[in-house]
Amino acid sequence: MKSAVGSLKSTSLALFYSDFKEITKAKLAVSVVFSSIAGYFLGAYQIDLWSVLLLAFGGYCMVGASNAYNQVIERDLDALMKRTRNRPIPSGRMTVNMAMTIAIVLTLLGVLALYALSPKTALFGAISIFLYTSVYTPLKTKTPLAVFVGAFPGAIPFMLGWVAATNDFGIEPGTLFMIQFFWQFPHFWALGWMLDDDYKRGGFKMLPTGKKDRSTALQIILYTFWMIVISIMPAFGFTGRLHLTIPAAALVLLCGLVMLLFAFNLYIKKDNPSARKLMLASVTYISLIQIIFVADKLIS
């Protein structure tokens, strides 16, 4: 009997853990934490392990809270889409109250952790949650400009790490912000292209023209180009302490050109497989250049 009760508790905990990961979008949250830590390494004069742990914990909490609020707000729309109908709330595995409790607790823990680093870090984290839940989320069913608004909170993590390391906002974190800001557009428009039919079931307007056409693909190319330009700017001495050596800038440029090729491929073929390749290339790009930036600082 005791064994059966213990087994049931173990199963319940496993299910809750699985749903917790899903409602906080654990994979996305971890990638955001990676960006924040990369920004911290770039800004820090000396690495402090405790600060890195606070940033990782606070960053995960803030992203997790944003995603939980989002799924509470969009629960009825999520039920309409194949991609999201099995999420914890629309599937009935988690109540709205439980999801809100998780979101609120994560918000408080995240703000406290980031505040322990610096007030500015906590402020930018709180701004990110506000923009994502109160502006971006409601706009997704109203206008394609939602992607533009969503690019602001989406671009904060890379910058946030620098601010956490220095308690300062200047040209350096501003440049990191702009890199990830322009990256958001090809990434999310490629995703929006792939999932356009499903998004339309939920009433979401994700593509800039509302269609999978050449105009959308052209805009993807233009934003990818400006992303590349900003990514290599640190090699030319315009960005204060944020600097790239010429070999590192060449690697960043090469990564960007590969992504640009995938964008041109989408423009030519205008199909879902090409959009998927671009989306995967964009994820690879942002991770690789962050590694290159950090490695270049440590080596040079």
Side-chain angles (χ1 to χ4, degrees), residues 182 185-186 189 218-228:
F182 278 93
F185 295 93
W189 284 338
L218 180 60
Q219 291 188 57
I220 289 174
I221 290 171
L222 292 174
Y223 277 93
T224 302
F225 172 78
W226 284 112
M227 176 199 72
I228 295 170

Side-chain angles (χ1 to χ4, degrees), residues 5-170:
V5 172
S7 176
L8 182 61
K9 286 182 178 180
S10 177
T11 302
S12 297
L13 284 173
L15 289 173
F16 178 80
Y17 176 65
S18 176
D19 284 340
F20 178 82
K21 290 195 299 181
E22 191 164 355
I23 203 158
T24 59
K25 292 187 180 178
K27 290 182 180 179
L28 173 62
V30 169
S31 70
V32 170
V33 168
F34 180 86
S35 293
S36 298
I37 292 175
Y40 177 88
F41 283 168
L42 291 173
Y45 291 100
Q46 185 174 353
I47 305 299
D48 178 67
L49 181 58
W50 178 243
S51 295
V52 173
L53 292 175
L54 280 174
L55 180 61
F57 177 75
Y60 188 99
C61 287
M62 300 301 264
V63 178
S66 296
N67 289 322
Y69 286 128
N70 174 266
Q71 291 184 47
V72 168
I73 295 168
E74 294 181 347
R75 59 190 183 276
D76 293 333
L77 300 179
D78 281 347
L80 301 175
M81 296 185 290
K82 293 179 181 178
R83 183 177 63 94
T84 55
R85 64 177 53 158
N86 197 44
R87 282 178 173 174
I89 301 175
S91 68
R93 297 193 309 273
M94 183 179 290
T95 66
V96 172
N97 287 341
M98 175 58 75
M100 278 299 294
T101 300
I102 290 172
I104 292 168
V105 170
L106 289 177
T107 301
L108 294 174
L109 291 175
V111 169
L112 287 173
L114 297 181
Y115 189 84
L117 289 168
S118 76
K120 285 183 182 176
T121 308
L123 176 62
F124 281 119
I127 288 172
S128 176
I129 287 184
F130 173 78
L131 288 176
Y132 189 87
T133 60
S134 300
V135 185
Y136 166 68
T137 295
L139 281 179
K140 286 164 68 178
T141 57
K142 307 295 183 185
T143 172
L145 286 174
V147 174
F148 175 79
V149 174
F152 283 89
I156 285 177
F158 202 12
M159 172 201 80
L160 191 71
W162 186 290
V163 175
T166 64
N167 194 31
D168 183 50
F169 182 84

Side-chain angles (χ1 to χ4, degrees), residues 222-239:
L222 292 174
Y223 277 93
T224 302
F225 172 78
W226 284 112
M227 176 199 72
I228 295 170
V229 170
I230 296 167
S231 295
I232 62 174
M233 274 181 58
F236 299 98
F238 302 136
T239 56

